[in-house]
Amino acid sequence: MNALSDFSAPARGLIVAAAFALVVTVLKMASSLLAPILLAVFIAIVVTPALGWMRRKGVPKWAALVVIGFVLLDVGSLLALVTTGAVEGFRESIPSYQERLTLLAGQFGNWLEAAGMDNSGDAVPNLLDPSKLMIGVRLLLSNASGIFANGLLVLLTVIFILLEAPTLWAKLHAAFSLTPEGEERIRRLFGSINRYMQIKAATSFATGVCAYLLLWLLGIDFAIFWAILAFFLNFIPVVGNVIMMIPPALLALVQADLSTALMVIIGYLVINTAIGNIIEPRIMGKGLGISTLAVFLALLFWGWLFGSVGMFLAVPLTVTLVIALDASPTTRPIAILLGPEVEKMPPPEQVNQPVLDAVAMDEPADHEH
């Protein structure tokens, strides 16, 4: 019997809200530990099919894990090397941009002041002071070792998760006495996350390649770095496609002129529209069963809770939450609210009028004829 059934509806609501607030508080306090673990879990889900394929081909388990580990390590090392080199190159190039940046900042500040914003002529140049940019770049370079250490932690966690993967179903059956419905729900969860991450990785790679070609053709510095940035930001729903175009557009404005910056913006808009709004929906099909509003709210919530990792995993985390809520009749209404658009309500004349009258009168409907 449900222990909450002894309480009134308002009391049950308060208890559930208090429990939710407590869980969120604990997760927030442990976010620095949980964020890399969550990232490792989702990476493990994505690479599990590759592990299964190698095992079916007769590759020993230890050899398959070594191959996966080396691939992930090589990809991570390559990204770290390119990113660090680009940031170092940007640091060395800032003095050459300084005069142009100072001139543009002064012109923009004067334009804002002429438009009615007082003191903008002094505030904008101070805000865009190249020395402040140097401080930010040095801070990013100094944190590179910490980022690399976190990457190694994620890699080791992925390997250990994959070591336990073959015994996962047996452990779940023994621990929770899974029913066929529960097992199917878990399989559906893993399948949805796997499909989303693989498709998103493919479309993000295409976005990065297109961004690189665009910036290379326009002669924008550090095109490979902005392409890598576009690859990762494409995983962030709603705002990622907007954020990825801002740094290269600003660099184009400083390095070249306004028309080049506009060409960069237009090029990014074309790339994001073609891949994000046309190609990706066709490949993804009906999607993952969550509404657009839920995606935006999830981005805010998971980003606040787990930082950049939460924004990166906002969609798969929300899919997991929706499937978990759908498992219980008590929480299924929340899953429906977070889910996609439901079928339209039937016209009033098709609804059983005695039922509507009974609801209005707060009395049970009489279905006897």
Side-chain angles (χ1 to χ4, degrees):
M1 184 176 178
N2 190 350
L4 291 177
S5 61
D6 296 333
F7 296 90
S8 63
R12 288 198 299 269
L14 288 175
I15 293 174
V16 171
F20 175 77
L22 179 61
V23 171
V24 170
T25 302
V26 173
L27 291 177
K28 181 64 176 177
M29 294 174 62
S31 60
S32 59
L33 175 63
L34 293 177
I37 295 177
L38 281 174
L39 183 60
V41 168
F42 285 102
I43 293 176
I45 292 175
V46 172
V47 302
T48 296
L51 175 64
W53 179 82
M54 285 188 284
R55 297 288 288 129
R56 289 192 298 271
K57 295 296 182 180
V59 180
K61 181 179 178 180
W62 65 269
L65 290 175
V66 168
V67 170
I68 291 175
F70 270 114
V71 170
L72 292 176
L73 182 61
D74 288 344
V75 172
S77 300
L78 179 62
L79 291 176
L81 181 63
V82 172
T83 302
T84 305
V87 174
E88 180 66 28
F90 182 72
R91 183 184 67 83
E92 295 175 354
S93 301
I94 284 181
S96 63
Y97 301 145
Q98 183 170 358
E99 182 178 355
R100 173 71 172 168
L101 182 62
T102 303
L103 176 63
L104 290 174
Q107 292 177 347
F108 184 61
N110 293 334
W111 179 80
L112 289 178
E113 191 162 354
M117 299 183 65
D118 297 335
N119 302 322
S120 297
D122 296 328
V124 173
N126 291 333
L127 183 64
L128 299 179
D129 187 358
S131 62
K132 296 181 180 179
L133 295 178
M134 290 287 290
I135 295 175
V137 173
R138 291 195 189 99
L139 182 62
L140 182 60
L141 289 172
S142 64
N143 291 334
S145 59
I147 296 174
F148 185 72
N150 287 333
L152 289 178
L153 173 63
V154 171
L155 177 61
L156 289 175
T157 307
V158 169
I159 298 299
F160 283 114
I161 292 174
L162 294 177
L163 280 172
E164 296 290 328
T167 62
L168 176 63
W169 287 111
K171 290 184 176 181
L172 290 175
H173 277 285
F176 302 106
S177 301
L178 282 181
T179 62
E181 293 79 7
E183 183 174 339
E184 175 60 27
R185 189 174 288 111
I186 295 177
R187 291 186 184 276
R188 179 161 58 92
L189 170 62
F190 287 170
S192 298
I193 294 174
N194 204 330
R195 176 176 171 79
Y196 170 80
M197 295 298 287
Q198 289 178 351
I199 293 176
K200 200 67 178 176
T203 56
S204 298
F205 180 77
T207 301
V209 170
C210 293
Y212 172 76
L213 293 176
L214 170 68
L215 298 176
W216 177 73
L217 289 174
L218 294 176
I220 306 303
D221 293 341
F222 316 113
I224 186 65
F225 174 71
W226 306 125
I228 293 174
L229 184 67
F231 170 82
F232 285 107
L233 288 177
N234 194 62
F235 281 89
I236 299 177
V238 184
V239 299
N241 290 338
V242 177
I243 297 176
M244 71 172 66
M245 74 174 69
I246 296 177
L250 292 177
L251 181 60
L253 181 62
V254 174
Q255 181 185 340
D257 50 28
L258 179 60
S259 61
T260 305
L262 292 176
M263 292 175 65
V264 170
I265 294 174
I266 294 173
Y268 268 88
L269 290 175
V270 172
I271 293 170
N272 291 329
T273 300
I275 296 179
N277 297 334
I278 299 177
I279 298 176
E280 186 176 300
R282 289 181 179 273
I283 301 175
M284 198 79 72
K286 294 183 178 180
L288 295 170
I290 51 179
S291 67
T292 305
L293 176 60
V295 170
F296 179 71
L297 295 178
L299 177 67
L300 298 178
F301 176 74
W302 296 115
W304 167 78
L305 192 60
F306 295 123
S308 57
V309 173
M311 299 177 70
F312 185 79
L313 299 175
V315 172
L317 284 172
T318 306
V319 172
T320 305
L321 180 62
V322 169
I323 293 179
L325 293 172
D326 188 61
S328 172
T330 305
T331 56
R332 189 165 296 140
I334 303 177
I336 295 174
L337 292 176
L338 295 175
E341 181 181 356
V342 298
E343 295 182 0
K344 294 182 178 179
M345 291 288 292
E349 59 271 13
Q350 296 181 8
V351 179
N352 192 343
Q353 190 62 39
V355 175
L356 292 179
D357 294 340
V359 172
M361 297 292 294
D362 196 18
E363 295 177 357
D366 184 7
H367 294 285
E368 296 181 359
H369 299 282

